[in-house]
Amino acid sequence: MIPVTAPYGTWESPIDARLVAAHDGRPEYVGAVGQEVWWTEPRPTEDGRRTLMRLRPDATGPAESVLPAPWNVRNRVIEYGGRPWAGAERAAGGPLIVFTHHADQRLHALEPDAPGAVPRPLTPLSPVGGGLRWADPVVLPGRGEVWCVLEESTGPAPTDVRRVLAAVPLDGSAAEDRTRVRELTDGTDRFVTGPRLSPDGRHVAWLAWDHPRMPWDGTVVRLADVTAEGALEAVRPVAGGTGESVAQAGWSADGSLLFTGDLGGWWNLRRIAPDLLAPGVPREAAAGTGLCPRQEEFGGPLWKIGHQWFEPLENGLVAVLHGVGAQRLGILDPATGELADAPGPWTEWTPTLAAAGTRVVGVAAGPHRGHEVVELDTCTGHALVVGAGHTDPVDPAYYPDPRARVVRGPGGREIHAHLHPPRNPAHRAPDGELPPYVVWAHGGPTGRAPLVLDLEIAYFTSRGIGVVEVNYGGSTGYGRAYRERLREQWGVVDVEDCAAVARALADEGTADPARLAIRGGSAGGWTTAVSLTSPLTEGLYACGTILYPVLDLEDWAAGGTHDFESQYLVSLVGSPREHPERYRDRSPLRHADRVTVPFLLLQGLDDAICPPAQCERFLAAVAGRGVPHAYLAFEGEGHGFRRAGTIARAVEAELSLYSRVFGFDRPDVPRLELDG
C-alpha cells in the first residue's frame, strides 16, 4: 500500500463511530462457582445493559449469556455500583445465582439449570428516595441466606441514606416484606463493603469508612465473630485507620486475615495470623506482617464495592495484582515472598480476580488488545483467553502505537502520560506539518488512565489527530505521595500537569501548538472546563470537549451530588467553611466570562452524580458572549454513556468540533452546529 499524502485530520479510517460504540465497555466481576467461571459483560447495542456470562468447565463452546434482555446485572450502590452477583455450588440442581437488576435494584435469585428457569425477586421495593439497593453479595445456602451490603434511602435528599450489612432469605420471604431482612450491623459506619467470611465460618471481615474521608484516604478493617444463629458479635477494628487506606480484606485457607494497606506509602499486602484475631488482642500486636513489601501498588481506589486486587488459592499461594502505574497478575508465595508474574501480552489487569482450584481468572488488556477474560493455570504457568476474546475488527495498522512518557511539570515534578500518535497505513502527512493533539484528562480524579487499546482513541488517531492521556498529580498507581499531590489542589495541579504535557509536546515538535485541545469526562470534565477558564492555561487550547462535568464547587458542597462524593471536596479543595474563596475562585461557572474558545458539552439527563443543572447554569452564563459552543443532552443516560447510539453521536460530534476548529473537512460525520 502506497500511503496517500493528506493533511492531518482528513485521513480516511475504517474505524467509524458505530464500531467504537459496539466495543465500548469491558467484562467485570469475574467469579468462580465451583469449577465454573462467571462474569458480567456489556451490551451497548441492547440499551447499554450488562448480561451475566457462564463458562462451564467442560464446555466445548464459548461462554453463554444466562440472562436475555432486558435483564441488566448492575446496581447503584454509592451510584458507581458494586459487585452485582454471586453464586454457590449445590449438591443437586446446579448452581444458585443471586444478582441485582438495574431497573428495580432488587436482588433476584436464578437457578439456571432448572427447567424454564426465570429470576425470582428476593427483596422488596421501597417508595422512599432511591429505594433499597444491594451489592457485594455472598450466597450461603447452608444458612438459607445471602449476605450483602444494603443501602437504604431514608428521605428525599441524596444524602438521606444508611448502609448496613444485611442477610436476605433465599426463600423469597422478604420479596414483599422488608422486616424479613435481617440487619447484621447497626449503621454506625457511613460506608461498608460486603462481608468476607473466614474459611471456618466463625469470623467475618469488612471495610468501613466515614465522611469526610474517601476510601483511598482512610478505611478500617472490622472483624466480628459469627454466632451459631448467624448474628455478629464482638465487632472490633483490626487494621487500617483514618490515615491508612485498606483497599481489600479477605481470608487465606489457613484462617489468616489478608489485607492491602498503604501505611508505608504504597498499597501492600499484609497478613494477620489467626491467633492474633481473638477479641482483646491489642491492635499493635496484630498490625500484620508484610508479605511482599515493595514500592509498588498491590491495591487501588475503591470506586466500586467489591473490587479485588488479590485472591487466595487453596494451596496457600495468593494471586495478586501489582505494579507501578500498570498492574500485572502475579502469584505470590507468602512463605518466601517470591512473586512470579503471569506470561502473555497483557500489561494491564483490572481489579477483579477469581480462583477455581489451581486456576486464576481475571480481566486484562494491552496496548494492542482490548479487555478479555484470561485464565492462568498456576500449575503449568500457561495463560489463555476464556471469554470476551479480543478480535481485530480492522487491520491493527490503524491502531496507534502508544508509549509511556514522563514529563517534568512545575517545580520539576514528574507527570506520567501515555502518548498515542496519529497512525494510518493508507495516509501520511505533508512534509513539515505537525499534527493536532487532544489532551485527555481522566475521571476520578483519584483514578488512572490505563495504557490499553481503546477504539475511541484509535478513531481519532487513525484520522490524523494525536491523543495524549495524562495521569496528572492525584492519579493512582504511583504511591500515596503522588496521589496526595492533588490534596486541596484540585483545579490547580491537574490543570497545570495537563498543560505541562501539552506544552512539552508542542515545544519538542510533536504537536502543532496552534491545534491543541483538551477533553475529559466527570472529574476530567472539571479539569477541561477549568482549563478553558483559568489564567494558568490562557491561549494554550484551541477548543475543548466537556463530558458530564463538575462545574460548580459551591453547588456540590451544598448537596448538589450523591452521598458517596458529597464531602470529597474537603480533601480535594479544603473545608468550604475555612476556604470559601477556593470554591468561588476555581469553579468554571464563576468564570464563564473567561471562555474564549469553542467547546462541546455532553451530558446525560439521568446523571445523579453530576446533574445536568450545572451544565444548564454554565450555558446560561456563556450565552450572549459570542463563544461558539454546542450542548448535547441524552435521555436515559447517566454518569458515563452506555448506549451505542449515544456513544456514536458523541464521538462524531467531538470529531466535528475538531474539524471546524482545526480547519479540516470531515464530510463523513454530521456537522456540529455551534451556537454563539
Side-chain angles (χ1 to χ4, degrees), residues 485-496:
R485 286 184 188 175
L486 205 60
R487 182 167 289 276
E488 299 193 9
Q489 293 297 308
W490 196 38
V492 180
V493 165
D494 50 325
V495 172
E496 290 178 339

Side-chain angles (χ1 to χ4, degrees), residues 378-392:
T378 60
C379 293
T380 65
H382 182 63
L384 74 159
V385 177
V386 296
H390 172 79
T391 57
D392 290 312

Side-chain angles (χ1 to χ4, degrees), residues 32-36 88-89 355-357 359:
V33 183
Q35 292 300 306
E36 296 184 353
E89 194 176 31
R359 298 176 296 141

Side-chain angles (χ1 to χ4, degrees), residues 122 567 631:
L122 297 179
Q567 296 187 38
Y631 177 50

Side-chain angles (χ1 to χ4, degrees), residues 344-410:
W346 307 283
T347 55
E348 297 265 5
W349 292 72
T350 67
T352 179
L353 290 171
T358 59
R359 298 176 296 141
V360 176
V361 184
V363 175
H368 304 288
R369 59 195 307 125
H371 289 89
E372 39 196 359
V373 182
V374 181
E375 176 184 290
L376 171 68
D377 187 324
T378 60
C379 293
T380 65
H382 182 63
L384 74 159
V385 177
V386 296
H390 172 79
T391 57
D392 290 312
V394 299
D395 184 344
Y398 287 94
Y399 301 157
D401 189 14
R403 54 185 181 272
R405 289 285 305 272
V406 176
V407 171
R408 293 291 175 179

Side-chain angles (χ1 to χ4, degrees), residues 242-321:
T242 57
E244 178 183 10
S245 167
V246 177
Q248 183 189 346
W251 299 90
S252 62
D254 67 357
S256 296
L257 181 65
L258 305 179
F259 65 96
T260 52
D262 71 346
L263 194 60
W266 298 80
W267 276 301
N268 275 197
L269 188 62
R270 303 213 300 271
R271 173 181 60 193
I272 302 177
D275 60 322
L276 297 177
L277 294 173
V281 175
R283 283 193 61 182
E284 295 76 13
T289 302
L291 298 184
C292 187
R294 296 185 180 189
Q295 289 192 346
E296 294 185 14
E297 301 285 35
F298 287 71
L302 196 64
W303 279 103
K304 294 183 178 182
I305 294 174
H307 273 173
Q308 291 177 277
W309 291 268
F310 70 82
E311 178 69 15
L313 308 182
E314 295 174 354
N315 58 9
L317 301 178
V318 184
V320 297
L321 302 183

